[in-house]
Every structure is written in C-alpha cells, then in structure tokens.
Amino acid sequence: MTQRFRVGVQLPEVEREVRWPEYVAMARAAEDVGFDSVWVGDHLLYRDDGRPERGPWEAWTLLAGLAAVTKRVRLGPLVACASFHQPAMLAKMASTVDEVSRGRLVLGLGAGWNQGEFDAFGVPFDHRASRFEESFEVIRRLLAGERVTFHGRYCNVNDAVLLPAPARRPALMIGSGGPRVLSIALPHVDIWNTWFDWYGNTPEGFASRNAEIDAAAARAGRAPHEIERSACVRVVLDRRAEERPVNDDIPPLQGSMEQIAAGLREMSAAGADETILVVTPITEDSIRRLGGAIALLG
C-alpha cells in the first residue's frame, strides 16, 4: 500500500456507564496513537433485549464536546438517525459541529432500526424509508448551501437556510444495506458504511457485500469508485470483559497486534477505505494498545 487506509474507533455507547472525562481521555488517546477518526452511536435507549435497560449520552452534544477537545481526528455519528430530529434542525446541528471541529465532521446518516427507543421517545417508526427520503433531501441541500423549500408528507420547510453559512459541506456517509435507502442515498453520498454483522466480520464477507454496493452505485448512476467504503470491524482484546457479548458465529478480529494489523490489511485488500474498530473492552488502555497495530500498518 502506498498510503495507509484509515482506521477509526467507536467510543463507548452502552457497554457500561461512561462519564465525560473518560470520553475526553479516550478521544485524545486515539489522536495520540494514530487513529484517524472517532465515532459515537446515535441511540436513545436499549431495552427488552434480555439485558438491563441502558442508554447513551445524546450523540450531537457529545460530538460537539469532542470536537472542542481534539485537533486532528475526524468525528461522526455512527450513524445519526434521520428521524430523531427535524431534518433542517439536524442540518443546523451538523453544520455547527463541523464549524467547532474546523471541518472534521463526517455526517453518517441512517433510517434507524430500534423500535423500542422510537416508541419510548415518541418518534414515529412507520414508513422509515419514506421519512428518510424526505429528510435526506432537506439535510443534504441545506448543507450544500441551498435555500430550501420542501413540502412532503412528513417534512415541511419554508425558505430554510443555514446561517452563518457553512464553511464547507461535511462529508456524507450512508449507513445502510437496505435497497431502498441505498437507492435514495447513493446518488449523493461520499461514503458507504456497514456494521460488522452485515458482512460477517470477515474480509471475504466484506468483499462480497462490497460488490453488491458496486452494483447499487451503478444503478444509482454513480461510478463505484466515487463512493468510499467504510467497515465496522469487531475487535476483541479480552474475552473476559462483559461489555459486549461475543458471538462466535461472527468471529471477532483478535490476537496479537501483528495479527490485528494483518486482519486490517486484509480488509483493505477486500475494498475497505476505512475500518472503524468496535472494541471489547473499549477503554483508554485498549485504544493505546491498538496504537501498536496502527503503527504496523505504516
């Protein structure tokens, strides 16, 4: 490889209760050891899955804080649910975080999936693809600097504009494997992202799914190479940690730092421009240890 592909890390969501000073320490550690990006989940509540109910901090407030205490890493939601906020407001929030970060935001978007949190917080769960379609149009056009009037079934804006004007349009990333959502987003996004269970957490599985995205991009009128590919990769450093259950049907990447670096190289060869590590345990020490694998990538 003439240039190392990017490696990011997802910060804790609901693995355990994490307070702000630890988020700061982990994000700064990621910068120190060479990670290219840090990510936070955009969820409200988990329940009814056989585990105690739990919830993360609000993603956009957290991203704004992380933008202020880091200097280099890209930042983003993995991924923002388009239904959790009115779309023009979501565009306003994204523009503000991008300003605070001095252009480091990657706006990951999706339609959402966890009905329990939708119901608990009074967010409609029906017609998610249709709602996403309307929201996505408003968000992307506002972030591109347009003045937007849009009257749809679920979304209405009247002469909306982002002021102060964004200094740039943040990179747009779609986190979905659904055919309809892909058909809506792929004509416009810069990056496609997938969670590790969608491709089995193996380079071979990713290569197969990646070929499907190539075909979907072509159907959407895009040259496949125009869309970067981002893959979440499950990494287990200590199976004794009880943060996130290990499913051996989806084998985690594990072993020495040399083995982990080799696995990331295989993901690059399979077509990933970026891997986002979903780590057990997700601690500052884990992030610093994984810096050894990043150093081996050159």
Side-chain angles (χ1 to χ4, degrees), residues 111-124:
W113 59 269
N114 181 10
Q115 184 171 354
E117 63 187 345
F118 280 70
D119 293 345
F121 280 78
V123 180

Side-chain angles (χ1 to χ4, degrees), residues 88-126:
M89 192 64 216
L90 182 53
K92 184 79 170 177
M93 293 156 59
S95 177
T96 303
V97 170
D98 192 63
E99 174 68 18
V100 174
S101 71
R102 300 175 302 283
R104 291 181 287 129
L105 176 69
V106 178
L107 177 53
L109 290 167
W113 59 269
N114 181 10
Q115 184 171 354
E117 63 187 345
F118 280 70
D119 293 345
F121 280 78
V123 180
F125 190 72
D126 63 330

Side-chain angles (χ1 to χ4, degrees), residues 49 63 102 123 142 166:
D49 60 357
L63 283 168
R102 300 175 302 283
V123 180
L142 284 171

Side-chain angles (χ1 to χ4, degrees), residues 215-231:
R219 289 193 298 271
R222 296 285 298 281
H225 72 269
E226 294 176 352
I227 302 170
E228 292 187 7
R229 312 304 164 93
S230 167

Side-chain angles (χ1 to χ4, degrees), residues 39-221:
W39 304 82
V40 301
D42 183 22
H43 285 282
L44 307 173
L45 183 67
Y46 290 92
R47 57 164 48 138
D48 300 327
D49 60 357
R51 301 173 64 191
E53 68 178 5
R54 58 217 184 277
W57 298 108
E58 195 281 316
W60 285 99
T61 310
L62 196 59
L63 283 168
L66 292 170
V69 299
T70 56
K71 297 178 180 179
R72 179 185 57 79
V73 289
R74 302 204 302 177
L75 305 149
L78 194 65
V79 291
C81 177
S83 292
F84 286 171
H85 301 277
Q86 196 275 345
M89 192 64 216
L90 182 53
K92 184 79 170 177
M93 293 156 59
S95 177
T96 303
V97 170
D98 192 63
E99 174 68 18
V100 174
S101 71
R102 300 175 302 283
R104 291 181 287 129
L105 176 69
V106 178
L107 177 53
L109 290 167
W113 59 269
N114 181 10
Q115 184 171 354
E117 63 187 345
F118 280 70
D119 293 345
F121 280 78
V123 180
F125 190 72
D126 63 330
H127 306 291
R128 282 175 297 142
S130 296
R131 292 178 185 276
F132 177 85
E133 183 171 25
E134 294 188 7
S135 294
F136 182 68
E137 178 171 345
V138 172
I139 292 165
R140 67 174 179 78
R141 289 176 59 193
L142 284 171
L143 288 173
E146 293 185 36
R147 186 177 293 269
V148 179
T149 295
F150 180 92
H151 300 295
R153 182 177 179 184
Y154 307 104
C155 173
N156 287 277
V157 294
N158 296 286
D159 196 27
V161 63
L162 298 183
L163 295 174
R168 66 201 65 79
R169 193 212 72 179
L172 298 178
M173 181 175 82
I174 182 64
S176 177
R180 185 169 174 208
V181 171
L182 288 175
S183 71
I184 293 163
L186 288 181
H188 306 284
V189 296
D190 306 289
I191 309 164
W192 166 78
N193 169 264
T194 183
W195 195 244
F196 59 83
D197 60 1
W198 195 66
Y199 69 93
N201 209 52
T202 67
E204 298 79 11
F206 182 77
S208 176
R209 291 295 198 176
N210 199 31
E212 296 177 20
I213 299 304
D214 284 348
R219 289 193 298 271

Side-chain angles (χ1 to χ4, degrees), residues 210-260:
N210 199 31
E212 296 177 20
I213 299 304
D214 284 348
R219 289 193 298 271
R222 296 285 298 281
H225 72 269
E226 294 176 352
I227 302 170
E228 292 187 7
R229 312 304 164 93
S230 167
C232 296
V233 176
R234 179 85 160 96
V235 175
V236 172
L237 297 180
D238 186 349
R239 281 179 170 263
R240 296 169 297 178
E242 297 181 356
E243 294 181 343
R244 188 188 291 266
V246 178
N247 179 0
D248 284 317
D249 292 335
I250 303 175
L253 181 58
Q254 56 190 335
S256 67
M257 292 303 106
E258 289 79 8
Q259 289 171 310
I260 290 173

